[in-house]
C-alpha cells in the first residue's frame, strides 16, 4: 500500500466510522485513513483472522477508540447487533462505509444459484441491512454519511452479471437513501472504483487483468489510498451538499476508449 502524501487533517476527531469488509484491501486502507484523521473505528468483517491482523496495523489517535466485530453483512440480526453494540460503546455512527463485496465471475450460463445469491447478498443486501441499521440513529441526530461501494462494472461488464446487478443495485439504493435522508442531514453516496490493487484484483485471472489495465487512460491501476482519499472526502462534514452521486475513482476507464 502506498503511503499517503496528502497532509492529514483532524476533521474526524469525535466521529465514529463503521466499515464493513475492513480486514483487507480497500476497507483496511480506508480504516487507516479515517484513523489518521482522528476517527474512532468500528471494524467488521466475516474473516476473524484477517480482521485481528488488520487491527494490529491500525493506530487510532488521542481519545479515539477502535472495535472489531466478526460480522457477516448478509445476516440482518448480526448486523443489527453490531450497530447497536457500537452505538452503546462507541457512540453514534457518524459514517457508515458499506465496503464488503465479493466476486464470482462467469458467463451467465455458468453462474450457479449460489454464485448469484452470494454476490448480490454481500454487496447489495449487506449495504441495505447496514444502512437500515444506522438510519434511525443518524436521523435522530440529524447527521450521517453513508458511503457504499459500487464498481466501474455497474454499467455492465462481460462475465459479471451477478456482480453488475449487485453494483447497479447499490447505485439505486444509494440514490434512494439520499432522498430519504436529505431532510435530516444524512447524505448517501457511492464510490465506483476502477482497477485498484487489492486481493480482489489479484484474484482475477492474469489475461483478463492485463487486458483491462490496457484500457485505463492513465495506463495503470489505482492504489487503495486513492479510494481512501475519496471516502475521507465524502464522509466529511464538508461534503454536506453532495448526495446521491456515484464518484468514479478509476483513472478515466469509465469515460470510454483511450486507444490512439
Ligand atoms: N479492488 C478493486 O479493483 C475494486 C473495483 C471495483 C469495486 N470494488 C469494490 O470495493 C469493495 C472492496 O473491494 P476489495 O478489493 O478491497 O476486496 P477484498 O476482497 O480485498 O476485501 C473484501 C473484504 O470483504 C470481506 N467480506 C466478504 N464477504 C463478507 C461478508 N459477508 N460480511 C462481511 N465482510 C465480508 C472479506 O473478508 C474482505 O476482507 C468491494 O465492494 C468491491 O466490490 C473493488
Amino acid at each position: 500500500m502506498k503511503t499517503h502524501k496528502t497532509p492529514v487533517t483532524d476533521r474526524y476527531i469525535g466521529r465514529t466510522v463503521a466499515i464493513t469488509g475492513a480486514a483487507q484491501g480497500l476497507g483496511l486502507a480506508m480504516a487507516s485513513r479515517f484513523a489518521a484523521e482522528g476517527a474512532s473505528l468500528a471494524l467488521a468483517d466475516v474473516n476473524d483472522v484477517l480482521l485481528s491482523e488488520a487491527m494490529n496495523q491500525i493506530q487510532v489517535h488521542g481519545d479515539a477508540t477502535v472495535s472489531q466485530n466478526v460480522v457477516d453483512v448478509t445476516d440482518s440480526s448480526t448486523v443489527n447487533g453490531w450497530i447497536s453494540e457500537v452505538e452503546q460503546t462507541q457512540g453514534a455512527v457518524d459514517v457508515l462505509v458499506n465496503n464488503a463485496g465479493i466476486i464470482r465471475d462467469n458467463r451467465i450460463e455458468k453462474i450457479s444459484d449460489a454464485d448469484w445469491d452470494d454476490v448480490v447478498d454481500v454487496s447489495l443486501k449487506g449495504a441495505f441491512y447496514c444502512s437500515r441499521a444506522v438510519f434511525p440513529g443518524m436521523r435522530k441526530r440529524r447527521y450521517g454519511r453513508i458511503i457504499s461501494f459500487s464498481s466501474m462494472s455497474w454499467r455492465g461488464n462481460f462475465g459479471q452479471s451477478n456482480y453488475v446487478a449487485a453494483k447497479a443495485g447499490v447505485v439505486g439504493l444509494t440514490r434512494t437513501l439520499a432522498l430519504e435522508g436529505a431532510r435530516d442531514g444524512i447524505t448517501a453516496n457511492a464510490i465506483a472504483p476502477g482497477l485498484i490493487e487489492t486481493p480482489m484484483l489479484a484474484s482475477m485471472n492474469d489475461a483478463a487483468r492485463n487486458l483491462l489495465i490496457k484500457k485505463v487512460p492513465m495506463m495503470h491501476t489505482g492504489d487503495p489510498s486513492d479510494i481512501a482519499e475519496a471516502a475521507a472526502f465524502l464522509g466529511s462534514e464538508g461534503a454536506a451538499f453532495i448526495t446521491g452521486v456515484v464518484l468514479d475513482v478509476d483513472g478515466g476507464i469509465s469515460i470510454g476508449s483511450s486507444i490512439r
Side-chain angles (χ1 to χ4, degrees):
M1 205 190 305
K2 220 164 55 181
T3 49
H4 217 277
K5 295 189 192 78
T6 308
V8 175
T9 73
D10 59 3
R11 63 187 161 169
Y12 280 97
I13 288 177
R15 298 280 184 208
T16 299
V17 181
I19 306 175
T20 68
Q24 65 175 19
L26 304 185
L28 177 56
M30 290 186 283
S32 304
R33 176 63 188 253
F34 282 115
E37 300 200 45
S40 287
L41 300 174
L43 306 181
D45 203 286
V46 76
N47 188 325
D48 56 341
V49 176
L50 278 180
L51 187 57
S52 295
E53 283 171 23
M55 290 285 282
N56 296 330
Q57 295 180 44
I58 294 168
Q59 207 194 343
V60 292
H61 291 284
D63 296 332
T65 58
V66 57
S67 65
Q68 70 177 99
N69 282 80
V70 178
V71 175
D72 179 347
V73 294
T74 69
D75 184 308
S76 67
S77 61
T78 310
V79 166
N80 291 341
W82 170 50
I83 294 299
S84 95
E85 187 183 325
V86 171
E87 287 175 339
Q88 279 165 34
T89 58
Q90 294 181 280
V93 175
D94 298 294
V95 182
L96 166 69
V97 185
N98 288 315
N99 166 73
I102 58 169
I103 47 174
R104 301 275 185 272
D105 294 353
N106 230 323
R107 294 183 189 207
I108 184 79
E109 307 94 309
K110 292 186 175 171
I111 290 184
S112 68
D113 295 0
D115 288 342
W116 178 274
D117 287 345
D118 291 350
V119 168
V120 175
D121 282 0
V122 177
S123 275
L124 183 55
K125 201 157 83 171
F128 158 60
Y129 285 158
C130 295
S131 303
R132 185 178 61 180
V134 299
F135 232 78
M138 289 182 172
R139 205 187 284 290
K140 203 161 139 201
R141 295 176 59 245
R142 301 185 66 79
Y143 185 87
R145 302 274 180 269
I146 296 176
I147 302 165
S148 300
F149 272 74
S150 184
S151 164
M152 67 175 188
S153 294
W154 79 271
R155 300 168 180 90
N157 199 22
F158 191 94
Q160 287 197 312
S161 56
N162 48 0
Y163 188 72
V164 169
K167 295 306 191 183
V170 166
V171 172
L173 174 68
T174 297
R175 289 168 59 90
T176 302
L177 296 183
L179 289 176
E180 294 188 8
R183 292 185 185 183
D184 291 315
I186 304 168
T187 68
N189 293 293
I191 292 177
L195 300 171
I196 314 293
E197 291 295 347
T198 69
M200 180 182 278
L201 187 63
S203 74
M204 278 179 84
N205 77 61
D206 281 352
R209 193 172 170 280
N210 292 337
L211 204 68
L212 273 170
I213 293 171
K214 282 192 187 138
K215 290 186 178 172
V216 183
M218 289 186 185
M219 299 290 285
H220 62 84
T221 54
D223 186 83
S225 62
D226 294 317
I227 300 299
E229 182 79 41
F233 169 62
L234 288 176
S236 69
E237 254 180 85
F241 206 52
I242 300 170
T243 197
V245 307
V246 182
L247 182 56
D248 294 306
V249 185
D250 64 1
I253 196 170
S254 59
I255 302 167
S257 171
S258 63
I259 295 166
R260 300 179 216 192

